Amino acid sequence: MTDPRWLDHDRFKREHGMPPKRSEISTKDLEDKYTVLGKLVEGVGALNEGISLVRSKDTGHRYVQKHIDPSSHVLLRELLLLQALDHPNIIRYVDAVIDQSVWHHHTASVYVEYCPLKTAQDLLNKYHKHNLGRTDDHRIYIPEHFIWHIFRSLASALQYLHFGVLVGDRRTPEELDELIKDDRFFREVWPMILHRDIKPDNIFFRKTQPSRIWIFESRTIFGIIPRRKKTKAYAANHPRVLLGDFGLAIQYNEPDWNFDEEYVGTYKWMPPELPLHTAQGDVWAVGAVILALCRQMPDGVVKPPPSDWTEGIEAWSKHRDARKGIRDHGVGKHYSPELNDVVHECLRFNPRNRPLAFKLLKMINEGAANADEKGFLDKDEFFPKWVWGGAEDRIHGQRSRHRKDQVQGKSEEIKE
C-alpha cells in the first residue's frame, strides 16, 4: 500500500514549494470531460496499460490519456508527482482519475499534454532509417544546435527534480553544492526525486513559439538570440523538450529509497552502478541519450548480450562488459569536441566522478557557447522535411548546409 505521506498532497506542496493546486484527482470517470480519439500505444512499460489520444469537450484541446494498472502504490506516486511538479521541461499534468474501488483492480488514468512531434526515439528511428546504406560522408546528422538544446533541457529538468532549482535561479553551482552537503536540505527544503528511466522513449517534443526570457549574462549563450538590451532575449524556436513517464520515479525518504537489490529501468539505458540508484545515474542516462542521438543508435548504447550468453537480459545488464567502451565511442567527427567532452563527463563509470545536474547545466552552457564561437554550430541548418513530417512547426534555422544530401536534394523547412 502507498506510503501515507503521498496521500497528503497539500502538505507535500506546502513543505516543498510546489505550484498552486491543479485539477484534483477525480474518483469518477472523466468520460463527460473528454472524447477518446484513438489509441496511440498499446499497453507497454511499467504499470502502463495503454495510451490514448483524447480531446477536451470544453476547449477542444488534445491531451494524452495514460491508462495505468491501479494495483500498485506506484500509481499514486506517479499521479501525485505529475500533479505537483511544475517545470517547462517536464510533461504537464492536466487531469487524473482513480476509481474509488481502485484496489479492486478498477481503472485509473492520468491525462497529460499532447506532444505531436513525438519522442526522441521516433527522431532516432527516422534518422537511422534514412541513413541505411549511406556511407559516413553522405549520412544526415541531427543538427548540433538541436543536440545542445535537448542536452540543456534535460539537465534543467534534472536539476529541478534532484534539487528543486528553477529556471532562472541565479545561485552558482558552488553555492548549491554547499547547500546540499547538509542532509537536512533533502528533508526540509526539497525531496530529491530520481526519474530512473530516462531514455529516448520518455523524451517528448512539442511545438513551441519564440518567447521572451530573462538571462543573467551579457555574453551570448547558445540557443538565445540577443536583442538590444543585454538582459532580455528571445528563445530560439526549437521544439520544446519534455521529460515524461514517471512510473519508476522515487522520492527521497520513501520507504524503498535505500534499496540495493532492485533493478528498475530499461536495461539498454541503465547506468553501470545498478542496483544503486543515484542522481548521477540519471545524469549517466542523459549522457547515454545524447550519445545515441549523435551516433544514431536507436537500440541503445548498452551492448546486447553475446550469442552464447545464457543467463538472461537482467544478468547481462549487471555485467561490466555490457557498457564496456561506451565512453570510447565519442559523439563522432560531425560534432564539436566541446559536445564530446560534456558527454564524456556524464558517462564516467564511477558515479562519484560524474557532474551533478546543476554543474552539468553550467558545463553545457559553457560548452555550447565555446562551440558556437569556434563555428561548430550552424544556426542556418534546417531539419529535412521528413524529420517533422506532418507537423506544422517551423524549426530553428534558415538553410541547411546538407541541402544537396537531404531528401534527394530538396530539403525544405517545415512551414508554419
Side-chain angles (χ1 to χ4, degrees):
M1 192 69 175
T2 303
D3 177 4
R5 287 174 300 171
W6 277 99
L7 300 178
D8 192 351
H9 192 215
D10 288 335
R11 176 172 173 265
F12 178 81
K13 291 188 296 182
R14 183 174 63 251
E15 290 183 354
H16 302 299
M18 294 301 176
K21 181 172 290 188
R22 297 175 177 176
S23 173
E24 292 288 352
I25 297 175
S26 175
T27 56
K28 297 180 180 179
D29 196 283
L30 297 177
E31 288 184 357
D32 60 327
K33 292 182 66 175
Y34 300 99
T35 300
V36 177
L37 301 179
K39 205 82 165 178
L40 291 176
V41 181
E42 296 298 333
V44 292
L47 305 179
N48 177 6
E49 296 196 328
I51 300 174
S52 300
L53 181 64
V54 302
R55 176 181 285 123
S56 168
K57 293 181 179 180
D58 291 333
T59 67
H61 293 159
R62 292 178 296 175
Y63 301 105
V64 169
Q65 178 189 14
K66 180 179 178 181
H67 309 274
I68 308 175
D69 179 359
S71 62
S72 168
H73 72 280
V74 174
L75 166 68
L76 282 181
R77 175 190 291 168
E78 179 174 19
L79 294 194
L80 293 178
L81 267 178
L82 286 174
Q83 190 185 28
L85 297 175
D86 186 19
H87 187 276
N89 299 117
I90 291 176
I91 204 84
R92 182 172 60 87
Y93 164 96
V94 177
D95 243 331
V97 58
I98 305 174
D99 192 287
Q100 286 195 342
S101 54
V102 63
W103 303 114
H104 296 287
H105 300 279
H106 285 250
T107 59
S109 296
V110 60
Y111 296 77
V112 297
E113 61 183 315
Y114 173 51
C115 299
L117 298 185
K118 300 187 178 180
T119 70
Q121 185 65 53
D122 293 300
L123 184 68
L124 267 172
N125 292 341
K126 287 180 179 180
Y127 272 89
H128 180 71
K129 179 180 179 181
H130 186 83
N131 286 321
L132 285 176
R134 288 176 177 247
T135 61
D136 189 58
D137 289 338
H138 292 88
R139 293 169 66 88
I140 309 299
Y141 292 88
I142 300 172
E144 182 165 341
H145 56 74
F146 190 54
I147 295 286
W148 281 112
H149 174 64
I150 296 172
F151 211 172
R152 179 185 294 104
S153 299
L154 295 177
S156 182
L158 286 192
Q159 76 166 2
Y160 174 70
L161 289 173
H162 295 169
F163 309 108
V165 180
L166 297 170
V167 174
D169 193 303
R170 302 183 68 172
R171 289 174 293 181
T172 66
E174 291 74 24
E175 290 172 326
L176 291 168
D177 205 23
E178 194 64 31
L179 278 176
I180 65 173
K181 288 179 180 177
D182 189 337
D183 192 56
R184 289 179 299 176
F185 177 88
F186 298 109
R187 294 197 306 268
E188 301 173 8
V189 179
W190 183 266
M192 177 182 283
I193 298 163
L194 303 181
H195 187 280
R196 303 198 301 176
D197 196 23
I198 296 173
K199 59 183 179 180
D201 269 324
N202 291 338
I203 298 166
F204 300 87
F205 301 130
R206 180 175 171 82
K207 160 184 174 178
T208 188
Q209 297 294 333
S211 57
R212 185 172 295 184
I213 60 174
W214 289 92
I215 56 175
F216 305 103
E217 294 186 26
S218 58
R219 70 180 295 183
T220 300
I221 301 296
F222 168 76
I224 294 176
I225 305 170
R227 304 189 73 225
R228 292 181 181 177
K229 295 183 179 180
K230 291 182 179 179
T231 53
K232 287 185 179 180
Y234 278 93
N237 193 17
H238 285 300
R240 188 156 57 97
V241 179
L242 298 160
L243 182 60
D245 196 340
F246 284 75
L248 297 179
I250 189 172
Q251 179 203 350
Y252 182 81
N253 273 346
E254 283 192 76
D256 51 352
W257 172 265
N258 293 316
F259 50 78
D260 59 2
E261 295 182 354
E262 184 179 12
Y263 277 78
V264 299
T266 305
Y267 95 90
K268 294 179 181 179
W269 307 97
M270 285 180 175
E273 62 269 19
L274 288 181
L276 177 66
H277 291 276
T278 66
Q280 291 93 329
D282 280 350
V283 167
W284 190 94
V286 167
V289 168
I290 299 301
L291 178 64
L293 289 169
C294 294
R295 303 291 296 194
Q296 297 182 19
M297 305 166 72
D299 296 327
V301 299
V302 176
K303 294 187 293 187
S307 57
D308 59 348
W309 185 264
T310 60
E311 300 179 40
I313 289 296
E314 182 172 313
W316 174 249
S317 69
K318 305 174 188 179
H319 201 283
R320 187 184 184 97
D321 286 350
R323 293 161 189 80
K324 188 175 181 180
I326 286 177
R327 290 178 74 219
D328 298 333
H329 280 302
V331 297
K333 66 180 182 180
H334 295 275
Y335 296 100
S336 65
E338 287 77 9
L339 179 59
N340 188 71
D341 289 345
V342 181
V343 171
H344 197 260
E345 291 300 311
C346 294
L347 296 177
R348 289 188 176 276
F349 191 85
N350 188 334
R352 294 183 179 181
N353 294 332
R354 297 176 209 142
L356 294 172
F358 53 81
K359 294 181 180 179
L360 174 60
L361 190 57
K362 180 182 179 182
M363 293 169 65
I364 291 169
N365 285 332
E366 291 175 349
N370 290 335
D372 193 11
E373 289 175 1
K374 295 177 181 179
F376 284 102
L377 305 189
D378 184 356
K379 295 185 177 66
D380 291 336
E381 185 174 6
F382 261 102
F383 291 95
K385 189 173 183 179
W386 47 262
V387 173
W388 311 108
E392 64 274 22
D393 302 72
R394 181 178 184 270
I395 306 303
H396 178 74
Q398 294 179 356
R399 292 279 182 183
S400 174
R401 63 182 173 185
H402 300 301
R403 184 177 179 86
K404 293 182 180 179
D405 292 331
Q406 294 170 348
V407 196
Q408 298 179 348
K410 298 181 179 180
S411 175
E412 301 176 23
E413 65 176 284
I414 295 173
K415 299 180 180 179
E416 293 182 294

